Structures are given as structure tokens and as C-alpha cells.
Amino acid sequence: MINTRVAVAIHTMALIASRPNDDLPSDDIAASVNTNPVVIRRILGMLKRAGLIRTTAGKAGASLTRDPEKISLLDVFHAVEPNGSLFAVHDNPNVHCPVGKGIRTVLDEAFGAAQHALENKLSSETLQDILHHLFDDA
Amino acid sequence: MINTRVAVAIHTMALIASRPNDDLPSDDIAASVNTNPVVIRRILGMLKRAGLIRTTAGKAGASLTRDPEKISLLDVFHAVEPNGSLFAVHDNPNVHCPVGKGIRTVLDEAFGAAQHALENKLSSETLQDILHHLFDDA
DNA sequence: ACCACCTGTAACTATTCTAATTACAAGGAT
DNA sequence: ATCCTTGTAATTAGAATAGTTACAGGTGGT
């Protein structure tokens, strides 16, 4: 299972986007997410390194670097999940076995295609969509 | 990252399918995968419980319960990864916050759609395709 | 300048997952 | 009977996750 950082990061981004005029300290974000402020600051750091937000050391508040409709869930996903591949493959299969010899290449292709499908879907949903669902729905 | 059980299970299924006339003991499969036989037997157990293979206690060899073209990678994935959801979501977000209140539903939808895209791709590739890539390619 | 509040980050911990391993009960084949 | 096998429990080491404490240093109001 993929860690909760992705979920927490989206929650955090939605909170920042929904209150552009408030300077939310990490304690407030943590209170909404229900976790420790340090967990939030770690995630804010990753979002910042990915170029999605701006923060200032010592000063409360983060802001988006671009409009919510230009930030996809894939952007957030990659920001907090820098590991390239979703599927692990076992090491050193026996190359003297025809199956062992070729399995890495075949699995890399199949898993790559599956991951690409997932990422493609994540890239089609934006932070703006999230905000819309949170605030404009029934 | 998703565990190596999926990769090992596909490797194992390919091995079984590629040698329908041999009764492979778990030691032989383990030698091809490069792991411990018990790891293989555990995975064979999951594949059996999922109805993908037949095995007999005490007797070497496993066989597919249906043709390789009727076994998708999604079947294998579900067999060894029974956990329903791919993405974890944090517990107990603050319901007194508008974002915290609705985030679970929104994330469940977004993550569900992404997972569905991945599963759809996995369901479109069969064990037969794997065998083809292993044996009929350049 | 002081002070309250904040960020950024290191360090430590508990928990969980994974994979490897040992051990063994019980089935199958000759 | 004996040997090889499966199925499974129990234990272990290692990695990842998330929570926590602690603190160095920035920010801004007074």
C-alpha cells in the first residue's frame, strides 16, 4: 500500500489553496489532517522542493506557485513519492533459466505500462478539481 | 512501493505455464526466482486459494486451472495482494474543518479512479502475453 | 533589542511490512 | 519403510512509515 504522504499532501495543498489569504502555520494544517506538525513540515518541504509551493523559514503560511488548475495530483504524487517505480521486482533471477533470464525485461514493460496508466489518470485530475468537489458539490 | 510478491508470482506462473509436462518442486521454482522455497510455497498457496493453480500436498508440481490467455496479470495481482486499496488515507481528519470534513470522500474517488486505471491495464495483459514476450521475441 | 511564534531539520521511537529462514507435521510415490 | 514433497507456524533481520522531542535559526511586532 502506498503511504499516506500522498493523501496528506493533497489535503495540505487543498487547505492552502482554499485559504489564500490566511497564513496557516503547520500546527493548523496538522490539526486539520490530525497528525503532528513536524509531519506536515516534512511534507511541505517536499512540496517546496518539487516547486509546488513557496514557504519562508520562520514565517507562517505557504502559497501555491501556480494556479490550482495547473497542479495535478500526479505533480503532488511525484513530489512526495520520488521513487520512480511503483512495483518491486525480485533481484537476480537465475539467468540460466529461460524464464529467469527474460523476466525482468518483461515485468518492467508490464509494470511500466500499468504505472503509466495510473499516472495518466492522476495527471488528469487537478487541485482545482479537488477544490470543486470539496466546496461546490452537494 | 508494491512488494515483490506480484513479480515473483508472475515469474512462478510463467514457469509453471512454460513447462506443463514437468512437475516442478518449489525448490526448482525458488532457484529460478532466486529466493527461499518457503517464499515460493507461500505464494503458491495464495495462487491456489485464488483458484489460479492446483497443487497437491506432498506431491511436486503445480498446474494452471485455465489457459494462460485466460489468466490476467490482475488475477495474479489480486491473488497475492488481497488488500483492496492501493493508496492509504490518513485517519480521522478534523471534521470541523471544511477540507478535513470532505477530504476522505474526495480522495477515495480520485485514488479509486487511479487504481482502476492501473487495474484495467493489468487486466488487459495475460499470462499468455508474458509467455509470448519471454519465448517468441527476438 | 527583546520576545513570541514560526520553519526546517536532526534524532529517536514504536509499529508494521517484507522476505528469509528454520523446523516440522503430514501427504505421495516407489 | 523411506525419501521427497507440500503446507504452515514461528522466528528473525531489515526497511519504511509516522509520531515525537528537541533545537537552531528566521520573522515581525513592540
Side-chain angles (χ1 to χ4, degrees):
Chain A
M1 187 143 69
I2 295 169
N3 59 54
T4 63
R5 284 199 303 272
V6 186
V8 171
I10 294 172
H11 183 147
T12 298
M13 291 291 280
L15 206 47
I16 292 169
S18 72
R19 300 176 56 183
N21 299 321
D22 293 330
D23 283 340
L24 294 172
S26 59
D27 285 51
D28 288 14
I29 302 176
S32 174
V33 170
N34 184 37
T35 185
N36 191 288
V38 174
V39 172
I40 299 299
R41 292 204 287 271
R42 276 199 289 248
I43 287 174
L44 287 174
M46 297 188 237
L47 293 170
K48 180 179 190 172
R49 255 166 263 135
L52 300 181
I53 62 170
R54 270 183 295 263
T55 64
T56 309
K59 189 181 170 191
S63 59
L64 305 184
T65 57
R66 54 183 193 266
D67 292 341
E69 61 261 30
K70 295 195 174 164
I71 297 176
S72 72
L73 298 195
L74 182 61
D75 292 329
V76 179
F77 178 76
H78 280 150
V80 299
E81 197 64 50
N83 184 348
S85 47
L86 201 56
F87 290 86
V89 177
H90 49 293
D91 286 324
N92 305 317
N94 188 342
V95 294
H96 300 106
C97 163
V99 174
K101 184 187 176 82
I103 196 70
R104 297 290 298 263
T105 304
V106 171
L107 288 178
D108 284 349
E109 279 178 31
F111 288 160
Q115 179 169 348
H116 185 266
L118 178 137
E119 296 194 346
N120 195 48
K121 194 72 184 178
L122 284 181
S123 73
S124 74
E125 184 137 15
T126 69
L127 188 53
Q128 181 61 54
D129 296 329
I130 297 291
L131 294 171
H132 174 74
H133 284 116
L134 281 173
F135 296 110
D136 299 343
D137 277 1
Chain B
M1 188 143 69
I2 295 168
N3 60 52
T4 63
R5 282 199 304 272
V6 187
V8 172
I10 294 171
H11 184 147
T12 298
M13 292 290 279
L15 206 46
I16 293 169
S18 71
R19 299 174 59 182
N21 298 321
D22 293 330
D23 282 340
L24 295 173
S26 59
D27 285 54
D28 288 15
I29 301 176
S32 174
V33 170
N34 185 35
T35 184
N36 191 288
V38 175
V39 172
I40 299 299
R41 292 204 286 270
R42 274 199 290 252
I43 287 174
L44 287 174
M46 296 189 238
L47 293 170
K48 179 180 190 171
R49 254 165 265 135
L52 299 181
I53 62 170
R54 270 183 296 264
T55 64
T56 308
K59 189 182 169 191
S63 59
L64 305 185
T65 57
R66 54 183 194 264
D67 292 341
E69 63 261 30
K70 295 196 174 163
I71 298 176
S72 73
L73 298 194
L74 182 61
D75 293 329
V76 179
F77 178 76
H78 278 150
V80 299
E81 198 62 53
N83 185 348
S85 46
L86 202 54
F87 290 86
V89 177
H90 48 292
D91 286 325
N92 305 315
N94 188 340
V95 295
H96 299 106
C97 163
V99 174
K101 184 187 177 79
I103 197 70
R104 296 292 296 265
T105 304
V106 172
L107 289 179
D108 284 348
E109 279 178 31
F111 288 160
Q115 179 169 348
H116 186 268
L118 178 137
E119 296 195 344
N120 195 48
K121 194 70 184 177
L122 284 181
S123 73
S124 74
E125 184 138 15
T126 69
L127 188 53
Q128 181 62 53
D129 295 330
I130 297 291
L131 293 172
H132 174 74
H133 284 115
L134 282 173
F135 296 110
D136 300 342
D137 276 2

